[in-house]
Amino acid sequence: MEANAPQFKLILGSSSTARKKILGDMGYEFTTMSADIDEKAIRKEKPEDLVMALAEAKADAIISKFRKIENLEKDVNPTILVAADTVVVYEGVVREKPSSEAEARQFMKDYANGHAATVSSVLVTNLATGSRRGEWDKVEIYFHDIPDEVIDKLIEEGTVLYAAGGLIIEHPLVLPYIKEVVGSTDSVMGLPKALTERLIKEVL
C-alpha cells in the first residue's frame, strides 16, 4: 500500500457535487475547501477571461485561508490546490447561476431547440513551490425542444438554481433533450478531466 501512496495532498477548491464526483472518478483522494468570494464583483468582458479570473480569486482566497490553519513547511509532500469555474454563454452573453426561479425558467426556455456553450477554467497551484498553471475549455451544447412540464419539474426540484446558466446536462430530466455535445461532458459539469490531469502533472 505504501508504494501507491500519493506523492502529494490534493485540495479541491469547490463545494460543487459534480466537481467532487469527477475528481473522485479520476481516482484521487482529496479534501475540499470553498472560497467565500463575491463572484459578482469580478467582471470581465470575455467569458474565457472571466472564468480564469474567478478561479484565480477562489484559489487566492483558499490559499490565504489554508495558510492560517496549516504549517506547510512541516509537510514532506506538497499540497496541490485545484480551483475551477464555469459559465454558460448564450448568444454571446455570459450566464452565471440564475438569480431567481423566473430567470432559471427563461434560461431553459431559451435553450430549447437552440444551443449554448460552457466555458470552464481549471487552475492548479502547488502550495509548496508556488507553481501555478491554468487553462480554459469550451464545449458547445445543442438542444431539442424542452417541454414546459420538464422545466416546471426542474424548477420545483431546485438544483438548476445552483448551476451556471441553470444548466445541468447530466440531470435525468434534461438528458433526453440534449441533441449533441461537442466536447467533454465533464467540462460542462465543471471540471474537464484531461485538462485537470495535465495541469496537476505540470505543477508537480
Side-chain angles (χ1 to χ4, degrees), residues 4-130:
N4 294 325
Q7 299 304 299
F8 57 89
K9 288 183 175 179
L10 190 62
I11 299 172
L12 173 63
S14 173
S15 54
S16 156
T17 306
R19 288 193 185 108
K20 286 180 199 170
K21 183 181 185 317
I22 292 165
L23 202 56
D25 288 348
M26 288 168 71
Y28 288 113
E29 285 184 20
F30 58 93
T31 54
T32 59
M33 285 180 83
S34 57
D36 306 313
I37 62 163
D38 178 9
E39 295 190 19
K40 302 280 184 195
I42 298 169
R43 299 292 86 188
K44 298 282 179 187
E45 212 167 297
K46 291 182 179 174
E48 297 85 357
D49 293 341
L50 177 62
V51 292
M52 288 308 302
L54 285 165
E56 283 172 14
K58 288 176 183 178
D60 291 343
I62 290 166
I63 290 166
S64 171
K65 194 190 289 188
F66 185 80
R67 289 196 193 286
K68 287 175 187 165
I69 55 170
E70 294 275 347
N71 184 347
L72 298 176
E73 303 304 315
K74 285 182 186 170
D75 227 318
V76 179
N77 295 328
T79 296
I80 304 298
L81 169 66
V82 175
D85 195 74
T86 300
V87 294
V88 171
V89 181
Y90 176 77
E91 293 187 345
V93 178
V94 168
R95 290 182 163 179
E96 295 170 87
K97 295 180 184 81
S99 57
S100 64
E101 288 187 2
E103 189 171 52
R105 186 182 302 278
Q106 188 57 54
F107 282 179
M108 284 184 281
K109 281 180 178 290
D110 289 343
Y111 302 143
N113 284 321
H115 89 283
T118 59
V119 181
S120 296
S121 62
V122 181
L123 186 75
V124 180
T125 309
N126 182 325
L127 272 59
T129 65

Side-chain angles (χ1 to χ4, degrees), residues 101-102 104-112 145-158 160 173-174 177:
E101 288 187 2
R105 186 182 302 278
Q106 188 57 54
F107 282 179
M108 284 184 281
K109 281 180 178 290
D110 289 343
Y111 302 143
D145 191 20
I146 306 170
D148 284 347
E149 57 268 27
V150 170
I151 294 174
D152 288 342
K153 280 182 187 169
L154 287 162
I155 298 288
E156 193 180 323
E157 188 193 83
V160 292
L173 286 173
V174 178
Y177 305 102

Side-chain angles (χ1 to χ4, degrees), residues 167-182:
L167 186 60
I168 309 176
I169 67 163
E170 72 277 14
H171 195 293
L173 286 173
V174 178
L175 266 175
Y177 305 102
I178 302 293
K179 191 185 291 183
E180 187 184 7
V181 176
V182 183

